[in-house]
């Protein structure tokens, strides 16, 4: 009977211990799934397509179909083989992949623009490293055939002006079907994609070619916007475009002295706001900026590069929006922009991704709860609350 008396508690304890371990596993998996999957849906589902000012609340299907749903993001900076810890690379790329795939599924944009610096080491990566980076990019930013994805070149993709070569520009163009100074039209909306790295103004071959192409596109757009009677002679040999003022897409922002006047929670940190920007490095030069404004008279400019948000009004009428980095590696609160655009109007809305410190806080809180549960489990006569209270009392006594 004595032997039987001891076997029952052992069996009971083993069963209880197995149940406790299973509960801990379920709790841990739940926290992991929330932080690595569900949190992206919880945050991005709050994003929505903005309504145009002229669009009635109950727009007809015909009106809705004429609106282009565009998504804009920038500075993904996929790490290469030279810099960055493998864990850093894994963590940041998983964050961007989940954010992008969730945004595609929830928002279903028609077109996505990435405004440069897709890669971090494209300016010096070898052919093999470049191929590996491209493969990872294509996995992360995969998209259905119904969504068009267009990438703009940035300085980390081909190098700053002094590092830029025809070879680097060509391999970028082959992967992303990007042509410097290219114009595309979607639903009657003209987008001009600018290789802002080539706006050096020093007469280099790539720079001369870029400026000549921009002048040609400017002429084509101006002929399309003018009345037929005014442009009959000098525009007779020009292929007409939809008569819509263009939207400029580029990596470098147009010239501004600093980010001192930029506002918002995702603008530059206070210690960097008064940093004086260097022309042709942080921003496009004054001269090139004025040329772009004079050539195209754009109704909107979208740029990246600074990793922080900013809204600027050029010449008192042309808005430029700098889009922050899409990666946790560059900021705690990444974001992207969605836009409802027609040939004559546009409306933009900023969508934030989960904050990195929110995810870390959830993990730390979950770790603390697990620790308390485990310690309390080995003191079955003390409830978790009293166990924690006892620990605090002992700590204060010390």
């Amino acid at each position: 009977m004595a032997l039987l008396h001891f076997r029952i508690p052992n069996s009971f304890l083993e069963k209880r211990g197995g149940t406790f371990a299973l509960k801990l596993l379920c709790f841990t998996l739940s926290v992991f799934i929330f932080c690595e999957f569900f949190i992206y849906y919880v945050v991005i589902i709050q994003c929505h397509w903005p309504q145009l000012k002229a669009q009635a609340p109950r727009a007809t299907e015909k009106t809705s179909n004429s609106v282009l749903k565009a998504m804009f993001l920038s500075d993904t900076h996929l790490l290469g083989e030279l810099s960055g810890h493998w864990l850093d690379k894994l963590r940041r790329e998983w964050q961007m992949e989940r954010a992008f795939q969730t945004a595609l599924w929830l928002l279903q944009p028609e077109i996505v623009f990435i405004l440069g610096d897709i890669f971090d080491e494209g300016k010096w990566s070898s052919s093999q490293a470049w191929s590996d980076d491209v493969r990872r990019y294509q996995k992360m930013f995969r998209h259905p055939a119904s969504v068009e994805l267009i990438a703009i070149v940035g300085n980390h993709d081909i190098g700053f002006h002094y590092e830029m070569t025809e070879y680097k520009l060509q391999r970028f163009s082959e992967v992303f079907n990007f042509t410097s100074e290219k114009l595309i039209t979607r639903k009657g909306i003209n987008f001009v994609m600018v290789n802002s790295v080539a706006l050096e103004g020093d007469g280099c071959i790539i720079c001369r070619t870029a400026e000549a192409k921009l002048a040609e596109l400017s002429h084509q757009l101006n002929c399309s916007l003018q009345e037929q009677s005014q442009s009959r002679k000098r525009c007779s040999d020009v292929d007409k475009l939809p008569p819509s003022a263009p939207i400029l897409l580029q990596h470098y922002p147009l010239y501004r002295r600093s980010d001192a006047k930029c506002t918002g929670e995702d603008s530059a940190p206070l210690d960097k706001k008064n940093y004086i920007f260097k022309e042709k490095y942080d921003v496009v030069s004054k001269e090139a900026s004025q040329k772009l404004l004079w050539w195209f008279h754009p109704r909107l400019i979208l740029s990246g590069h600074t990793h922080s948000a900013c809204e600027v009004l050029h010449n008192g009428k042309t808005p430029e929006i700098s889009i922050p980095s899409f990666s946790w590696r560059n900021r705690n609160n990444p974001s992207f922009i969605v836009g409802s655009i027609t040939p004559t109007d546009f409306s933009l809305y900023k969508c934030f991704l989960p904050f990195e410190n929110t995810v870390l806080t959830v993990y730390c809180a979950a770790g603390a709860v697990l620790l308390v549960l485990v310690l309390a489990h080995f003191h079955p006569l003390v409830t978790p609350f009293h166990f924690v209270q006892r620990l605090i009392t002992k700590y204060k006594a010390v």
Side-chain angles (χ1 to χ4, degrees):
M1 290 295 291
L3 183 62
L4 181 63
H5 175 76
F6 284 105
R7 282 181 178 174
I8 291 175
N10 287 340
S11 175
F12 174 76
L13 289 174
E14 288 176 5
K15 183 177 180 181
R16 184 183 173 194
T19 304
F20 178 71
L22 183 61
K23 288 179 179 178
L24 290 184
L25 179 62
C26 290
F27 176 77
T28 304
L29 284 176
S30 298
V31 172
F32 177 79
I33 291 172
F34 173 77
C35 289
E36 303 303 329
F37 290 94
F38 288 157
I39 193 170
Y40 294 96
Y41 291 92
V42 172
V43 174
I44 296 177
I45 201 171
Q46 301 173 52
C47 187
H48 61 84
W49 292 105
Q51 192 173 12
L52 294 167
K53 295 177 183 177
Q55 187 178 1
R58 295 183 180 179
T60 63
E61 184 177 350
K62 183 178 180 181
T63 305
S64 299
N65 288 339
S66 65
V67 177
L68 180 69
K69 293 181 177 180
M71 175 176 165
F72 305 90
L73 57 108
S74 186
D75 294 271
T76 54
H77 284 274
L78 274 69
L79 292 174
E81 64 177 2
L82 299 178
S83 63
H85 191 273
W86 66 266
L87 184 60
D88 181 26
K89 183 188 296 187
L90 176 67
R91 182 75 186 131
R92 270 49 175 179
E93 291 184 5
W94 174 256
Q95 168 257 322
M96 288 190 286
E97 180 177 349
R98 291 316 319 147
F100 184 75
Q101 296 303 325
T102 303
L104 282 189
W105 190 80
L106 290 174
L107 298 170
Q108 299 182 1
E110 296 171 83
I111 190 167
V112 178
F113 294 96
I114 304 180
L115 304 183
D117 278 3
I118 296 168
F119 305 111
D120 195 60
E121 300 176 9
K123 55 186 179 180
W124 55 51
S125 59
S126 64
S127 297
Q128 182 58 45
W130 173 263
S131 298
D132 181 62
D133 293 345
V134 168
R135 176 186 57 78
R136 288 174 15 245
Y137 158 81
Q138 291 173 339
K139 174 183 176 294
M140 291 168 56
F141 293 96
R142 61 190 181 276
H143 52 90
S146 59
V147 178
E148 186 177 9
L149 192 151
I150 296 176
I152 315 298
V153 72
N155 57 289
H156 275 267
D157 301 315
I158 59 173
F160 285 99
H161 174 261
Y162 60 88
E163 301 169 305
M164 178 178 61
T165 64
E166 289 278 6
Y167 168 73
K168 294 175 186 175
L169 186 58
Q170 181 61 31
R171 74 177 180 182
F172 184 91
S173 302
E174 288 175 356
V175 172
F176 297 99
N177 193 27
F178 172 82
T179 303
S180 292
E181 289 57 61
K182 179 180 179 181
L183 185 148
I184 66 166
T185 302
R186 300 292 182 269
K187 290 190 173 182
I189 304 157
N190 298 315
F191 295 95
V192 176
M193 295 179 289
V194 179
N195 176 5
S196 49
V197 184
L199 299 180
E200 187 76 10
D202 65 345
C204 76
I205 296 176
I206 297 177
C207 302
R208 288 203 311 270
T209 304
E211 288 209 17
K213 183 62 177 176
L214 285 172
E216 181 183 328
L217 291 177
S218 169
H219 178 60
Q220 187 179 11
L221 277 166
N222 288 331
C223 286
S224 302
L225 289 168
Q226 291 175 2
E227 296 292 335
Q228 187 173 0
S229 58
Q230 296 176 324
S231 59
R232 184 172 298 173
K233 290 183 178 179
R234 65 187 198 86
C235 299
S236 57
D237 58 341
V238 174
D239 293 330
K240 295 296 180 66
L241 297 165
S244 173
I247 295 175
L248 256 57
L249 305 174
Q250 57 193 57
H251 183 62
Y252 288 170
L254 293 191
Y255 176 79
R256 60 176 182 261
R257 190 170 185 271
S258 68
D259 273 351
K261 295 182 180 180
C262 303
T263 58
E265 60 184 297
D266 55 348
S267 60
L270 290 175
D271 60 332
K272 295 183 178 179
K273 281 200 171 187
N274 293 314
Y275 169 79
I276 305 303
F277 287 146
K278 181 181 177 182
E279 294 183 49
K280 306 176 185 180
Y281 188 87
D282 299 306
V283 292
V284 175
S285 68
K286 284 183 182 179
E287 181 184 358
S289 298
Q290 288 304 316
K291 278 185 178 180
L292 289 173
L293 291 170
W294 182 71
W295 276 338
F296 294 103
H297 302 285
R299 55 183 171 133
L300 174 66
I301 303 166
L302 292 164
S303 59
H305 189 54
T306 64
H307 300 172
S308 299
C310 191
E311 295 186 24
V312 181
L313 198 63
H314 296 285
N315 297 337
K317 60 180 181 179
T318 305
E320 177 182 3
I321 297 177
S322 293
I323 302 175
S325 173
F326 194 67
S327 173
W328 274 347
R329 192 167 190 265
N330 297 318
R331 59 183 310 108
N332 175 56
N333 55 345
S335 61
F336 61 95
I337 285 178
V338 292
S340 301
I341 308 173
T342 67
T344 57
D345 197 6
F346 66 86
S347 183
L348 305 177
Y349 185 85
K350 181 175 291 183
C351 305
F352 283 94
L353 307 184
F355 289 13
E356 185 176 28
N357 60 5
T358 301
V359 175
L360 294 177
T361 301
V362 172
Y363 273 129
C364 290
V369 170
L370 279 175
L371 180 62
V372 170
L373 291 176
V374 169
L375 291 176
H377 178 71
F378 292 103
H379 295 73
L381 298 180
V382 183
T383 63
F385 173 77
H386 289 99
F387 180 77
V388 173
Q389 193 176 41
R390 182 180 296 178
L391 286 177
I392 295 173
T393 303
K394 287 183 178 180
Y395 175 77
K396 286 182 177 179
V398 174

